[in-house]
Amino acid sequence: MTIKQILKKYHKLEIELLLAHVLKKQKEFLYLNKDHRLTNRQMSQISQMVKRREKGEPIAYILGYKDFMGHRFKVNKDVLIPRPETEGLVEKVIEHITRSMEQKNPIRILDVGTGSGCIIISLAKGLRAKGIEFYASDISKKALAVAKANARNLLPPHPSSPSGGEEKGGGLRIKFIHSDILQNVRMNFDVIVANLPYVPKKYYVSSIKYLRWEPKIALVDPIKDFDVYRRFFIEVGGHLNPKGVILLEIDPSSRKSLKGYQQKFLPKAKIKFHKDFNNLWRYAEIKLR
Ligand code: GLN
């Protein structure tokens, strides 16, 4: 088949990305070379991918990657696919740290429930200044393996470093901790960022068609809506430096619950909510005084 025929036949499946991937070309190539004919090998690759896509599997899992903050992150079924809303969270952390850098150095940042590592790795790439230490935790060892692979790919070792840069320049510039929320974390931080499972059960059930491909543990609380964030608030107070800041990605319907947790477990802090590009309350900012 030609590109034109494939685009027409499978347009409902958002086939462009798959086609560009199989042809190893940019998307633009497809529209400039519509009469280009695929080889047999490429055709069989495409039809395998189409089969998965027809069952509803997200394109990111079929391709094995997702672009986030301009970087290409490896993803598989062990990690949530990075969302555009989360780019807004990363931007908020970068803004905050850029503002507060003059006041305090070094800064230590922790990303709780890192998944693919997209938040902490984007921060490490976006905040190249010296004196920032990056940490990330996850309850899932399989997710940590993906995050470490992404760190190695995206934070290459410094070529001039004698040890190949493993310690300083490379992926190990981020320290990964296997932990349920903050249970195994033994240090304090200036900034704690998290995108913990927050999808309300009702919404999860009604969106199961789209969400069932992704790890349930990363999306929904098995016990009670927003309970992971309740546990986070209980634990986080003991891990923040004076003037520490917490930045969270949240469900828009969870503001009241989160404010309650803050008042109960971090009574001296202040909480503020921010909207995402869809005008939904998507982020919480908690500052210690
Ligand atoms: N934003 C994701 C969704 O609605 C949920 C991410 C999360 O639970 N942390 O699909």
Side-chain angles (χ1 to χ4, degrees):
M1 284 167 92
T2 64
I3 288 178
K4 192 173 172 179
Q5 291 164 328
I6 294 172
L7 287 174
K8 190 160 175 230
K9 184 162 179 201
Y10 299 117
H11 72 280
K12 280 206 189 104
L13 300 173
E14 304 164 84
I15 190 84
E16 294 94 332
L17 272 179
L18 300 179
L19 200 44
H21 182 75
V22 164
L23 292 169
K24 300 195 171 71
K25 301 280 188 202
Q26 301 291 321
K27 245 173 154 180
E28 294 72 42
F29 175 89
L30 305 179
Y31 296 96
L32 296 171
N33 301 275
K34 285 200 161 184
D35 296 322
H36 181 87
R37 193 169 290 277
L38 275 72
T39 64
N40 286 346
R41 205 184 123 93
Q42 288 167 336
M43 268 319 292
S44 83
Q45 275 180 299
I46 270 291
S47 61
Q48 275 176 24
M49 290 177 152
V50 159
K51 270 191 206 129
R52 292 171 68 182
R53 190 70 191 121
E54 276 171 338
K55 287 186 195 147
E57 187 169 348
I59 284 184
Y61 286 153
I62 301 174
L63 295 174
Y65 66 76
K66 172 78 183 176
D67 289 339
F68 179 87
M69 294 296 290
H71 314 301
R72 186 151 289 183
F73 287 86
K74 166 191 154 107
V75 292
N76 62 26
K77 63 177 177 21
D78 299 319
V79 297
L80 198 74
I81 299 165
R83 303 285 202 271
E85 286 84 350
T86 308
E87 296 185 327
L89 182 69
V90 171
E91 282 158 12
K92 288 215 157 17
V93 178
I94 293 179
E95 272 166 36
H96 168 77
I97 291 181
T98 316
R99 252 186 283 122
S100 61
M101 273 296 274
E102 295 106 50
Q103 292 153 31
K104 191 175 183 297
N105 217 344
I107 281 182
R108 194 183 281 160
I109 310 175
L110 170 68
D111 170 23
V112 182
T114 193
S116 65
C118 66
I119 295 175
I120 198 74
I121 294 166
S122 300
L123 288 174
K125 289 193 82 78
L127 295 163
R128 286 172 173 280
K130 286 199 187 81
I132 305 183
E133 295 173 14
F134 300 92
Y135 290 78
S137 74
D138 206 285
I139 191 175
S140 157
K141 284 190 175 166
K142 286 181 174 168
L144 284 175
V146 175
K148 284 178 189 173
N150 278 321
R152 275 194 300 273
N153 288 342
L154 292 166
L155 300 167
H158 198 276
S160 66
S161 163
S163 63
E166 281 281 280
E167 293 84 359
K168 289 206 180 68
L172 294 185
R173 217 173 89 207
I174 300 172
K175 192 166 178 345
F176 291 96
I177 306 166
H178 180 228
S179 176
D180 181 9
I181 315 189
L182 291 152
Q183 297 279 307
N184 299 337
V185 177
R186 299 270 166 271
M187 319 169 124
N188 285 9
F189 301 87
D190 303 291
V191 178
I192 297 186
V193 53
N195 175 20
L196 295 170
Y198 63 65
V199 177
K201 206 173 212 143
K202 236 172 52 194
Y203 181 79
Y204 181 76
V205 171
S206 66
S207 312
I208 192 73
K209 191 170 161 222
Y210 307 102
L211 294 179
R212 73 179 172 104
W213 301 93
E214 295 179 270
K216 194 174 176 187
I217 188 182
L219 284 165
V220 64
D221 196 293
I223 300 170
K224 198 168 166 266
D225 290 351
F226 320 134
D227 201 58
V228 179
Y229 270 129
R230 188 184 65 85
R231 288 171 48 215
F232 172 83
F233 271 88
I234 294 176
E235 294 172 13
V236 76
H239 291 279
L240 275 171
N241 284 334
K243 296 208 171 151
V245 169
I246 305 167
L247 282 150
L248 307 175
E249 186 179 318
I250 62 159
D251 186 77
S253 72
S254 69
R255 277 185 301 155
K256 230 177 144 180
S257 304
L258 295 193
K259 181 140 184 77
Y261 304 150
Q262 173 265 310
Q263 286 170 336
K264 194 161 173 197
F265 302 117
L266 293 172
K268 286 194 185 134
K270 257 199 169 158
I271 189 163
K272 260 207 295 198
F273 297 96
H274 302 281
K275 288 185 169 177
D276 67 11
F277 51 74
N278 284 320
N279 213 27
L280 295 170
W281 296 104
R282 183 67 64 195
Y283 315 106
E285 178 178 0
I286 299 106
K287 282 191 178 165
L288 287 195
R289 280 182 285 185

